[in-house]
Amino acid sequence: MQQLIEAVLHHADEQAVLQQLIQTLSRSNQRYFLKNEIIHAFADYCHEARKPAHFFHSSHLGTLIQYSHELLLEEDCIWLLLRPWIGGQQIWCLDSELTKAQVMPPKALLEARDRFVGRAQDQLFEIDVTPFYEHTPKVDDPRNIGQGLAFLNRYLSSQVLNDRSYWLETLFDVLHRHHYDGIPLLINDQIESGEQLAEQIRQAIQILKSKASDESYQSVHAELQPLGFEPGWGNTVERVRGMMELVDQMVNMPQPAILEAFVARFPSVFRVALCSIHGWVGQDYLGRSETLGQVAYVLDQARSLDRKLQEEIHLAGLDMLNIQPQVVILTRLIPNCEGTQCDLPLEKVDDTNNTWILRVPFREFNSKITDNWISKFEIWGYLETFAIDAQSRLLEQLNGKPDLIIGNYSDGNLVASLIARQLNVTHCNIAHSLEKPKHLFSNLYWQELEPQYHFSAQFTADLISMNAADFIVTSSYQEIVGSPDTFGQYESYKCFTMPQLYHVINGIELFSPKFNRIPPGVDERVFFPYSEARSSEHRDRLTYLLFEQEASHILGKLADPSLTPILAISPLTAVKNLSGLVECFGRSPELQQRCNLILVTSKLSVDAAINADEAEEIEKIHRLIDYYQLHEHVRWIGERLSNPDLGEMYRSIADRRGIFVHFARFEAFGRVLLEAMVSGLPSFATEFGGTTEIIEDDKHGFLINPTDLDGSTRKILDFLDRAYADPNYWEQLSAKSIQRIHDEYNWQHHTRQLLLLTKLYSFWNYVHRESRESLLHYLDALFHLLYKPRAESILEEHQKI
C-alpha cells in the first residue's frame, strides 16, 4: 500500500485529482464516507472531468479508491481505512496538503471516530485479543478462511510427524481418560502408555484378520479386552479392524485424511444442548417473524443430530452398553404464551428418538416483563441468572454434562458460553445474522440508540461469546470476511469504537482455524421438488389460497391468474425489502402484463405490527400498491403458514412455471432461497451477502441488485423471454436448482461435519488448554467489567415499568 499511496502523492495529476475529490466531498457537509460513496464521488468526478475509462479503473488513484472502505475528513488530516486484501485492514493518515502519508495504529483511527461524533475521551478501556492467539496456528491464505477443520487436520498431522512420541502419549492420554458415565470406552487400564497402545493395536489387528468381517464386536470382545480394549471401536470385526488400522497408520504415516477418518469414528459425542433463548421456540409456532428462520434452523439441526448420533453409536458398537444419545433445545419458558406451547417445561420433538425442548423461565424481576415474550434487544439483563438456572435443569434432563453445547444468535451464544465455561464442555458458536453490521454506524451512535436497542450489551456479549467458542460455524464465507467490496459480519467486530465506553483494537482473530463454513440444509420431508408425488387435496387447497380465495388476511384479486407468478416470502423488515420488490414490479408495465406478484408475509395490517419498523414496511407496501394501482396484479397473503403449507406453496408456484424472487438489501445466507430452489423454482436473489455462494449467476439461478430496479426488471424479463423461446429452458434451470441444493445444502452433511468438528476441537483444546484458559480468564473480566453493568442497567429500567 505504501508504494501505491506514494505513487498517487508523487504524481502531480493524480495528486491534483485526489485534492479536488477531497474538496468536493468536504463541500457536501459530510465528513465520514463509506466505500460506495467514495467510488460514486470518484466516478462523478471522472465523468465531469472527461477522464478516460482507464483512469477510473487502472490509475494509481483508481486502484487506491477501490481499496478504500472508509474516508474521514478532519481539519488537518485525511483518514483512509484501506482493505488491500480480504481480512486485512490498514489505516493511513494523509496531511491536508497531500504531501505526506503515514500508516497508523487502530487506536488512532478509533480516536478520530470518537472526535467525529463529539465524544472523545482519554484513557478509554481497550479490548485486544491479539496476545491470546499469538501462539496458536493461523490460516495463512484468506481464501482458506472458514476451512478450520481441514487446516487443523493438516497441522496436527505434521505435528505427529515431527514428534511422534509426544503425540502418541497425548493420544494415549485422551483415550485413557475417555469414558461414558464412568464406563471406560476404547481402552482400559491394561494399557499404560502410548508405545504399549501402539503395540497392542498391532496385536489386535492380527487377531481380527483371522475373523469374519461381518462378525459382531460382542463375539471378539472377550479376546480383545485382556489386550486392553473396550467397546467403541466398531460394531463389527471389519469396523473394529478398520479403526485400529487408522490409529496404526496415524502413528506411523500421519496424513490429514487418516486423522479425519479416525476422528470421525471416535465415539465422544452422546449428549448435545442447543441454546436458542429469545424466540418462541415451539414446533407448531415457529418463532415470531424476526426469529422464524432461527427456530426452524434449530429444530432441523436437532432432528438431524438425533438421527446422526443414533447412527454413530450403533456403528461404534455401543448398543451393547445401552448408550442412548440425547439432544436438548434449551430456551426460555414464557408464561403468557399466547396459545402456544411455550409454557410447557418439557416438550418432545416430533420425529425424533430422544430430542426435547427444555424451557426454563426467567427469574421474576418484574412479572409484567418476565411473564411475556421479551424482544431480543431487551433480553440481556436476564441471561446470567437464566444460565445458572438452566444449567442445573440441563444436567438433570441429560443426566450428565453435554458433550457439545451450541449457541444460536447473540443471546443463545452468551448463555452457551457461560454454561460451557462452568461445565468445561465444547462450545460451538452459530450466529448467521449479527446485529452490528445490519445497523449502519450502530457502534458510533450507540448512546442515541441505547434506549431502543441496547447495543452496548449485545456487542459486548458478541465479543465474549465468539472468542470463548471452541469453534464457530457459519453458513457462508462472506459471513466471516465478506468480499473484496464488503466487510464480513465477524470482520466488523475486529476494530471498532463504542465512544466513551471502550475501544476494540482487535476483537476477533479472523485467521483463526476456529472458523468453519458448514451451510445448513432444508427439511426435505417438507421442502421437496414439485415433480414428486404429493397430496392433491393439499395442492388444491394451497392453489386456492394463492390465486382465488377471498378473506380479510388476503389483499388483491388477480385479473388474470394464468400469468406467470412471481413469489416472494419474507419477514416485514426494511432489510428484506419487500417494498422494494413491489416498487420494482409497479414501475414495469411489461412485468405487470406478463406476471402476477404473490407476496407472503405473516400479516398485512399496520395494526398487527409488533414494532415501528414492521409497521413502516407494511404501510409502505400498501402505499405502493395504491400508487401503482396493483390490486389486480398483486396478491398479498398475510397469514402465518405452517412449514408443510409453505412447502406446498413453493410447489404450487412451480406447477405454473413461476419464479421466486428474494429482493433483500442484504442476506447473510438465505434459508428461504434453499427452500424455493429445492422445490424446483428458478430463483432470483440479492447479490449482496451469502446468497452469492448458493447461486452461480445464470447457472443455478440469477443474482440481482435490489438497488437497481431497472436492471432487476430486465433480468427477470430476459429469463421470461428465454423460457418462452425454449419450452425446455424453465425445466433445465429448475433441475439445476434442485440438484444444487441436494448436492451442497443438506442436513446430513452439515451434521456429519458438525460432529467431526466437535471431536477435533475437543482434542485440540485438550492439547492447548493452558493458552485457552488464559483467554477465558480475560473474557471473564470483560463479562464482569463491561457486560454486567450494561445488563443490570436494563433490569433497572424494567423494574420501573
Side-chain angles (χ1 to χ4, degrees), residues 673 677 680-685 691-704 715 719 722 728-741 743-745:
L673 183 58
M677 290 175 67
L681 278 176
S683 298
F684 295 72
T691 52
T692 58
E693 295 177 34
I694 301 173
I695 287 179
E696 185 177 342
D697 195 29
D698 205 17
K699 183 176 180 181
H700 313 111
F702 303 93
L703 297 173
I704 53 178
K715 210 153 192 179
F719 167 79
R722 291 164 72 179
N728 295 320
Y729 178 64
W730 188 97
E731 284 84 356
Q732 290 169 355
L733 189 62
S734 173
K736 290 179 181 177
S737 299
I738 294 168
Q739 196 61 47
R740 173 67 171 167
I741 305 307
D743 290 346
E744 300 293 334
Y745 299 93

Side-chain angles (χ1 to χ4, degrees), residues 1 4-5 8 14 35 39 42 54-68 82-84:
M1 281 294 102
L4 179 62
I5 291 175
V8 172
E14 296 201 13
K35 184 177 180 69
I39 290 177
F42 182 54
H54 71 81
F55 185 83
F56 177 82
H57 294 286
S58 306
S59 65
H60 295 303
L61 179 57
T63 304
L64 180 64
I65 293 295
Q66 290 296 324
Y67 287 142
S68 300
L82 304 181
R83 196 163 172 261

Side-chain angles (χ1 to χ4, degrees), residues 454-519:
H454 301 291
F455 283 144
S456 64
Q458 181 159 9
F459 298 168
T460 308
D462 286 334
L463 287 169
I464 292 169
S465 60
M466 66 178 61
N467 282 286
D470 297 285
F471 63 96
I472 297 172
V473 165
T474 70
S475 295
S476 66
Y477 175 86
Q478 294 197 34
E479 195 176 323
I480 310 169
V481 284
S483 68
D485 296 324
T486 60
F487 282 100
Q489 293 190 58
Y490 283 93
E491 187 178 5
S492 72
Y493 284 79
K494 185 171 181 62
C495 181
F496 67 96
T497 176
M498 300 284 281
Q500 298 180 331
L501 184 60
Y502 57 70
H503 282 163
V504 177
I505 306 300
N506 182 14
I508 186 68
E509 177 51 68
L510 298 170
F511 288 81
S512 167
K514 72 164 57 181
F515 284 103
N516 288 271
R517 175 189 172 271
I518 312 178

Side-chain angles (χ1 to χ4, degrees), residues 396-602:
E396 179 184 351
Q397 177 65 28
L398 292 174
N399 196 30
K401 296 197 303 184
D403 303 299
L404 168 66
I405 184 164
I406 304 171
N408 277 275
Y409 190 71
S410 299
D411 51 359
N413 274 305
L414 184 67
V415 170
S417 69
L418 293 174
I419 296 176
R421 176 75 167 128
Q422 289 297 313
L423 299 180
N424 191 28
V425 298
T426 304
H427 167 211
C428 166
N429 177 297
I430 301 177
H432 295 320
S433 183
L434 293 161
E435 295 296 329
K436 181 176 174 294
K438 286 163 57 176
H439 299 264
L440 193 61
F441 295 133
S442 52
N443 57 292
L444 270 180
Y445 295 102
W446 71 269
Q447 283 144 310
E448 289 85 349
L449 299 170
E450 192 73 357
Q452 182 177 0
Y453 293 110
H454 301 291
F455 283 144
S456 64
Q458 181 159 9
F459 298 168
T460 308
D462 286 334
L463 287 169
I464 292 169
S465 60
M466 66 178 61
N467 282 286
D470 297 285
F471 63 96
I472 297 172
V473 165
T474 70
S475 295
S476 66
Y477 175 86
Q478 294 197 34
E479 195 176 323
I480 310 169
V481 284
S483 68
D485 296 324
T486 60
F487 282 100
Q489 293 190 58
Y490 283 93
E491 187 178 5
S492 72
Y493 284 79
K494 185 171 181 62
C495 181
F496 67 96
T497 176
M498 300 284 281
Q500 298 180 331
L501 184 60
Y502 57 70
H503 282 163
V504 177
I505 306 300
N506 182 14
I508 186 68
E509 177 51 68
L510 298 170
F511 288 81
S512 167
K514 72 164 57 181
F515 284 103
N516 288 271
R517 175 189 172 271
I518 312 178
V522 293
D523 186 347
E524 295 186 25
R525 304 166 307 164
V526 174
F527 302 102
F528 54 84
Y530 74 100
S531 56
E532 294 185 10
R534 59 199 215 255
S535 164
S536 59
E537 181 181 350
H538 196 194
R539 177 175 55 200
D540 292 344
R541 181 169 64 81
L542 266 296
T543 300
Y544 177 66
L545 171 66
L546 282 167
F547 299 103
E548 300 177 39
Q549 183 178 345
E550 296 183 24
S552 60
H553 61 272
I554 300 174
L555 179 70
K557 184 174 182 180
L558 301 177
D560 185 357
S562 67
L563 299 179
T564 300
I566 299 173
L567 177 66
I569 299 177
S570 173
L572 288 159
T573 66
V575 172
K576 298 303 182 182
N577 197 30
L578 274 185
S579 59
L581 176 59
V582 175
E583 183 164 11
C584 181
F585 185 77
R587 284 173 48 171
S588 173
E590 188 173 359
L591 270 182
Q592 295 168 44
Q593 290 170 7
R594 302 175 67 175
C595 303
N596 290 315
L597 179 61
I598 313 294
L599 306 177
V600 180
T601 66
S602 60

Side-chain angles (χ1 to χ4, degrees), residues 134 152 160 179 207 245 404 502 505 568 583 601 621 659 704 712 730 733 758 764:
E134 285 180 345
L152 281 186
V160 175
H179 63 85
I207 292 173
E245 287 173 346
L404 168 66
Y502 57 70
I505 306 300
E583 183 164 11
T601 66
I621 294 173
I659 62 174
I704 53 178
S712 298
W730 188 97
L733 189 62
T758 304
W764 172 255

Side-chain angles (χ1 to χ4, degrees), residues 106 126-136 138 467 494 504-510 771 774-775 778:
E126 293 183 356
I127 298 175
D128 188 356
V129 299
T130 303
F132 305 103
Y133 291 94
E134 285 180 345
H135 302 295
T136 61
K138 297 181 184 65
N467 282 286
K494 185 171 181 62
V504 177
I505 306 300
N506 182 14
I508 186 68
E509 177 51 68
L510 298 170
S771 60
S774 61
L775 170 61
Y778 179 71

Side-chain angles (χ1 to χ4, degrees), residues 68-80:
S68 300
H69 279 255
E70 294 182 14
L71 187 152
L72 175 58
L73 300 178
E74 292 194 297
E75 287 186 9
D76 56 347
C77 65
I78 301 156
W79 294 90
L80 282 176

